[in-house]
Amino acid sequence: MIQKLFSYLIPVKIFKKKSARSKVIEVTWANGELVLDSENTNYSYGSLQRILRYGLRNIGYDAILKMDHILLLGVAGGSVIKTLVDEIKYKGKITGVEIDSDMIQIANQYFNLNQIKQLEIIIDDAFEFVLKTKEKYNLIIIDIFEDINMPNFLFERFFSERICYLLQDQGFVLFNTMILDEAHNVRNRKYIAEIDSKLFTSKMLPRIEVHNELIIIEKVA
Ligand SMILES: C[S@@+](CC[C@H](N)C(=O)[O-])C[C@H]1O[C@@H](n2cnc3c(N)ncnc32)[C@H](O)[C@@H]1O
């Protein structure tokens, strides 16, 4: 509690781990809130949670409450899961795919992720999982970062077509991206242009929290 109060003055680091996959993972009290950070950016809670909450609000909490199965690619501390379960009161199933098992151990220890009954965690590469899965989803949240980098596969046509194929009718994709230079801007616009506009509508929610841009795709047919 003292650490939490003190964190309103300066951030208080309470845990740091070198992980093979993610280099450095830190858990910090910042402004009275426990957050999870990688070396150079916030991974969970804090601004990351606000960004995804903004995207979910744009999709609509009423639409989300009617959903049966949500797929989350990139779990880290699981802040969007807390938004879905604690704030929106979503009752359906959530499947979370995370490549770094250290991350899930920290999520369980510091953020009680293992107490969420409707959540299934799969330790796997999101790319591999998306190829293997036999399910279809009402919402697919893509939130994959290696520190401040986004792996190239996320923007390849093969991957975006597979993601769109895995949507139920009237399903949504919520894709969190980071824009640090003009090349990233071009990359995002190309991504949107490649989505089949006969079957899907897509839009961008630009420049959230300075560097993030959300892409929302909806299956209309
Ligand atoms: C910004 S964090 C996710 C935050 C989370 N969505 C939340 O709401 O708190 C990004 C995560 O993507 C994971 N990641 C990176 N590459 C991945 C991959 N190929 N497959 C699955 N997860 C990956 C990282 O280990 C990291 O935990």
Side-chain angles (χ1 to χ4, degrees), residues 21-22 36 41-45 48-49 52 72-83 97-100 103 122 124-128 141-147 149 151 153-154 176:
R21 204 54 237 183
S22 311
L36 189 151
T41 192
N42 169 235
Y43 255 9
S44 288
Y45 306 91
L48 187 283
Q49 187 170 24
L52 291 181
L72 170 63
L73 303 177
V75 176
S79 49
V80 71
I81 298 168
K82 295 286 177 75
T83 305
V97 180
E98 169 59 55
I99 203 165
D100 186 350
M103 210 59 92
I122 294 171
D124 200 353
D125 185 328
F127 183 79
E128 302 281 332
I141 303 171
I142 308 173
D143 192 25
I144 294 199
F145 291 87
E146 292 165 355
D147 196 27
N149 299 314
F153 75 81
L154 295 171
N176 182 23

Side-chain angles (χ1 to χ4, degrees), residues 22-39:
S22 311
K23 288 191 217 141
V24 181
I25 312 171
E26 292 179 354
V27 179
T28 306
W29 281 108
N31 292 314
E33 186 185 24
L34 200 57
V35 301
L36 189 151
D37 296 321
S38 65
E39 195 165 10

Side-chain angles (χ1 to χ4, degrees), residues 2-69:
I2 290 285
Q3 288 176 323
K4 179 175 175 176
L5 286 176
F6 196 66
S7 78
Y8 285 100
L9 302 173
I10 54 161
V12 183
K13 201 180 294 174
I14 61 167
F15 178 83
K16 180 171 177 167
K17 184 180 170 95
K18 280 208 174 11
S19 126
R21 204 54 237 183
S22 311
K23 288 191 217 141
V24 181
I25 312 171
E26 292 179 354
V27 179
T28 306
W29 281 108
N31 292 314
E33 186 185 24
L34 200 57
V35 301
L36 189 151
D37 296 321
S38 65
E39 195 165 10
N40 297 300
T41 192
N42 169 235
Y43 255 9
S44 288
Y45 306 91
S47 69
L48 187 283
Q49 187 170 24
R50 289 196 293 276
I51 291 161
L52 291 181
R53 184 189 289 119
Y54 178 72
L56 293 174
R57 201 173 289 141
N58 198 281
I59 288 168
Y61 287 4
D62 288 344
I64 291 169
L65 283 169
K66 293 193 192 103
M67 294 177 176
D68 298 316
H69 199 170

Side-chain angles (χ1 to χ4, degrees), residues 26-201:
E26 292 179 354
V27 179
T28 306
W29 281 108
N31 292 314
E33 186 185 24
L34 200 57
V35 301
L36 189 151
D37 296 321
S38 65
E39 195 165 10
N40 297 300
T41 192
N42 169 235
Y43 255 9
S44 288
Y45 306 91
S47 69
L48 187 283
Q49 187 170 24
R50 289 196 293 276
I51 291 161
L52 291 181
R53 184 189 289 119
Y54 178 72
L56 293 174
R57 201 173 289 141
N58 198 281
I59 288 168
Y61 287 4
D62 288 344
I64 291 169
L65 283 169
K66 293 193 192 103
M67 294 177 176
D68 298 316
H69 199 170
I70 296 177
L71 174 63
L72 170 63
L73 303 177
V75 176
S79 49
V80 71
I81 298 168
K82 295 286 177 75
T83 305
L84 286 166
V85 173
D86 297 344
E87 296 175 31
I88 305 178
K89 311 287 180 204
Y90 168 74
K91 298 278 187 269
K93 187 175 173 185
I94 304 170
T95 298
V97 180
E98 169 59 55
I99 203 165
D100 186 350
S101 59
D102 286 341
M103 210 59 92
I104 299 302
Q105 207 221 319
I106 293 166
N108 291 341
Q109 189 175 343
Y110 289 96
F111 302 98
N112 302 322
L113 217 60
N114 46 2
Q115 287 174 17
I116 300 173
K117 297 277 175 297
Q118 72 218 79
L119 173 66
E120 171 195 30
I121 294 286
I122 294 171
I123 306 289
D124 200 353
D125 185 328
F127 183 79
E128 302 281 332
F129 177 85
V130 158
L131 291 189
K132 284 183 281 194
T133 181
K134 301 269 188 292
E135 305 265 329
K136 294 220 172 175
Y137 305 89
N138 304 108
L139 169 63
I140 302 176
I141 303 171
I142 308 173
D143 192 25
I144 294 199
F145 291 87
E146 292 165 355
D147 196 27
I148 57 169
N149 299 314
M150 303 192 71
N152 288 335
F153 75 81
L154 295 171
F155 294 92
E156 278 161 18
R157 203 170 187 144
F158 175 75
F159 189 73
S160 74
E161 283 179 359
R162 179 71 186 159
I163 289 284
C164 287
Y165 168 79
L166 293 177
L167 284 183
Q168 297 273 14
D169 291 345
Q170 277 90 50
F172 289 88
V173 176
L174 174 60
F175 184 13
N176 182 23
T177 73
M178 214 182 252
I179 297 196
L180 301 173
D181 58 30
E182 184 50 29
H184 293 156
N185 223 350
V186 172
R187 173 201 69 191
N188 278 22
R189 266 125 206 93
K190 179 170 174 282
Y191 182 87
I192 296 259
E194 284 177 0
I195 304 290
D196 182 350
S197 60
K198 287 197 243 22
L199 298 177
F200 303 92
T201 60

